[in-house]
């Protein structure tokens, strides 16, 4: 579904990603883990089109993504749930969800999507009339995920959904993702610093270190890897 090959990018003269290749098949749940500053957010920004690569290619369902304007990419089925949630604070929960449904498929599927989103994330139904800025961090994260789902994505990209959340709240988010994935077989690309949780939630992982892919494998392989155990799992 998503094929990234030899991708390099950065900010002005400053390189961040070097020769990154990532392949995701439809229905896979893939985690990209790594330390602060490794380039995880930069990778997502490049897929969304906020940043242009200096080298490499990205294809989505066989189409050259780099030839498609960033504003059109959500209409292809790519939803980016950004780092730090970035909900619209002065809009209600419902209005935030409506903003997510601005894609062609999101408009078409609104009625069935909103029912399922409320089923998966019931706190959004309870608080549908509340201003998003008054929600807790965990609730805002649920809203950011709901907003992504409202676009009817084929690929849901989540940038550190657990950031700044208490461990129990983060676990709740991971649990919801597992359930949504179980019910829909949606393709999910998750970027996380909480490596243990990410490698439990996803089925395949990449370790990104200093802008390069250091390791790749299914979750069992990565969790058994000595380097991963020492550097990220505290063993
Ligand atoms: P974090 O978890 O801290 O967000 P990350 O793996 O997502 O880490 P990025 O945010 O992609 O990392 O940042 C990679 C590198 O690029 C870092 O060294 C960061 O300082 C730098 N960087 C990020 N955004 C910019 C920017 N707008 N201009 C210049 N440098 C940037």
């Amino acid at each position: 579904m998503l094929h990234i090959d030899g991708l390099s990018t950065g900010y002005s003269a400053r390189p961040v990603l070097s020769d990154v290749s990532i392949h995701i098949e439809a229905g896979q749940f893939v985690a990209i883990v790594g330390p602060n500053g490794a380039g995880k957010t930069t990778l997502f920004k490049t897929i969304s089109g906020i940043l242009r690569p200096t080298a490499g290619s990205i294809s989505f369902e066989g189409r050259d993504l780099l030839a498609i304007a960033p504003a059109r990419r959500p209409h292809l089925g790519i939803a980016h749930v950004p780092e730090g949630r970035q909900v619209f604070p002065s809009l209600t929960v419902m209005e935030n969800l409506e903003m997510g449904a601005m894609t062609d498929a999101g408009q078409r599927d609104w009625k069935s999507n909103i029912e399922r989103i409320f089923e998966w994330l019931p706190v959004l139904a309870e608080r549908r009339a509340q201003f998003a800025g008054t929600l807790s961090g965990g609730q805002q994260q649920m809203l950011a995920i709901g907003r992504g789902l409202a676009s009817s994505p084929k690929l849901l990209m989540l940038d550190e959904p657990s950031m700044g959340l208490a461990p129990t709240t983060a676990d709740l988010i991971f649990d919801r993702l597992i359930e949504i994935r179980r019910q829909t077989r949606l393709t999910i690309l998750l970027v996380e610093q909480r490596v243990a949780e990410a490698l439990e939630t996803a089925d395949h992982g990449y370790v990104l270190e200093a802008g390069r892919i250091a390791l790749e494998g299914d979750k069992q392989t990565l969790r058994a890897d000595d380097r991963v155990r020492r550097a990220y799992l505290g063993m």
Side-chain angles (χ1 to χ4, degrees):
M1 175 181 258
L2 181 74
H3 295 282
I4 300 175
D5 281 294
L7 188 76
S8 299
T9 190
Y11 302 92
S12 310
R14 177 180 180 179
V16 174
L17 297 179
S18 322
D19 198 21
V20 166
S21 296
I22 290 171
H23 298 277
I24 301 173
E25 298 308 329
Q28 259 192 324
F29 192 150
V30 174
I32 298 177
V33 298
N36 241 326
K40 303 183 298 298
T41 298
T42 301
L43 173 68
F44 270 19
K45 285 183 179 169
T46 315
I47 298 169
S48 292
I50 299 165
L51 273 175
R52 276 201 74 80
T54 48
S57 64
I58 308 179
S59 81
F60 180 70
E61 293 193 310
R63 298 173 72 173
D64 175 9
L65 200 60
L66 300 176
I68 294 165
R72 284 299 307 166
R73 295 186 198 182
H75 296 280
L76 300 183
I78 300 177
H80 182 171
V81 179
E83 184 172 35
R85 358 256 185 238
Q86 298 185 27
V87 296
F88 302 106
S90 57
L91 297 184
T92 64
V93 165
M94 199 63 172
E95 287 165 343
N96 268 273
L97 294 170
E98 285 166 2
M99 295 298 280
M102 290 300 180
T103 59
D104 304 335
Q107 295 279 297
R108 187 192 63 213
D109 303 337
W110 168 251
K111 273 188 85 165
S112 55
N113 277 344
I114 194 73
E115 267 175 33
R116 295 200 307 168
I117 290 166
F118 282 165
E119 207 175 290
W120 291 321
L121 308 166
V123 72
L124 301 183
E126 289 156 23
R127 296 177 184 266
R128 70 185 83 185
Q130 192 171 323
F131 290 118
T134 65
L135 298 174
S136 70
Q139 291 163 351
Q140 289 193 10
Q141 186 59 59
M142 302 264 188
L143 178 54
I145 293 169
R147 186 179 56 185
L149 292 170
S151 71
S152 269
K154 295 174 183 168
L155 170 69
L156 182 68
M157 305 200 305
L158 300 151
D159 194 346
E160 287 200 41
S162 77
M163 193 172 79
L165 302 181
T168 48
T169 312
D171 285 347
L172 199 64
I173 302 276
F174 291 125
D175 171 74
R176 295 292 77 208
L177 292 177
I178 290 170
E179 182 58 21
I180 292 165
R181 199 308 186 90
R182 191 184 67 78
Q183 288 190 31
T184 60
R185 306 310 291 173
L186 178 66
T187 313
I188 302 180
L189 177 57
L190 168 74
V191 150
E192 259 302 329
Q193 269 185 64
R194 294 197 196 194
V195 177
E197 291 86 341
L199 293 182
E200 264 171 41
T201 307
D203 36 46
H204 198 89
Y206 289 82
V207 179
L208 186 69
E209 286 176 349
R212 291 178 180 275
I213 301 293
L215 278 171
E216 186 219 327
D218 60 45
K219 67 171 166 190
Q220 288 82 3
T221 310
L222 287 183
R223 274 165 31 188
D225 185 276
D226 274 348
R227 249 171 85 190
V228 174
R229 289 164 71 87
R230 273 197 308 270
Y232 299 108
L233 302 179
M235 295 176 184

